[in-house]
């Protein structure tokens, strides 16, 4: 999870990923940001994020993103 957090903090330095739990629903991340995160996750973890995981719920927090990554590995 540390690798994921580091990547997110590098791409989005103004977001506090430690405390945010509604990144998409509160508008902190938009659809373009989510697409960029998906591309980074796929490259970083050598996985393919399938259509069933391209939903706002999987991108609300670092924890939900990590759960998705674990399911896809």
């Amino acid at each position: 999870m540390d690798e994921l957090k580091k990547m997110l903090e590098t791409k989005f330095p103004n977001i506090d990923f430690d405390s945010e739990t509604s990144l998409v629903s509160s508008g902190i991340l938009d659809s373009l940001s989510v697409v960029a995160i998906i591309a980074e996750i796929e490259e970083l973890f050598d996985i393919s994020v399938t259509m069933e995981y391209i939903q706002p719920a999987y991108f609300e927090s670092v924890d939900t993103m990590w759960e998705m990554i674990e399911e896809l590995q």
Side-chain angles (χ1 to χ4, degrees), residues 26-59:
S26 67
I28 295 170
L29 293 178
D30 61 14
S31 58
L32 292 178
S33 299
V34 171
V35 169
I37 290 170
I38 290 169
E40 291 286 335
I41 286 174
E42 289 181 330
E43 184 176 324
L44 193 60
F45 296 98
D46 194 30
I47 58 175
S48 179
V49 178
T50 57
M51 288 302 292
E52 70 183 275
Y53 288 97
I54 302 176
Q55 300 177 37
Y58 289 105
F59 298 91

Side-chain angles (χ1 to χ4, degrees), residues 3-70:
E3 204 172 357
L4 172 62
K5 243 165 109 170
K6 184 177 178 182
M7 178 271 292
L8 291 169
E9 289 168 350
T10 300
K11 283 195 82 60
F12 305 96
N14 298 329
I15 299 174
D16 181 5
F17 287 98
D18 288 324
S19 64
E20 290 294 342
T21 58
S22 57
L23 293 166
V24 177
S25 59
S26 67
I28 295 170
L29 293 178
D30 61 14
S31 58
L32 292 178
S33 299
V34 171
V35 169
I37 290 170
I38 290 169
E40 291 286 335
I41 286 174
E42 289 181 330
E43 184 176 324
L44 193 60
F45 296 98
D46 194 30
I47 58 175
S48 179
V49 178
T50 57
M51 288 302 292
E52 70 183 275
Y53 288 97
I54 302 176
Q55 300 177 37
Y58 289 105
F59 298 91
E60 289 289 7
S61 69
V62 173
D63 290 334
T64 58
M65 288 183 231
W66 185 249
E67 289 172 17
M68 173 190 67
I69 291 165
E70 286 186 319

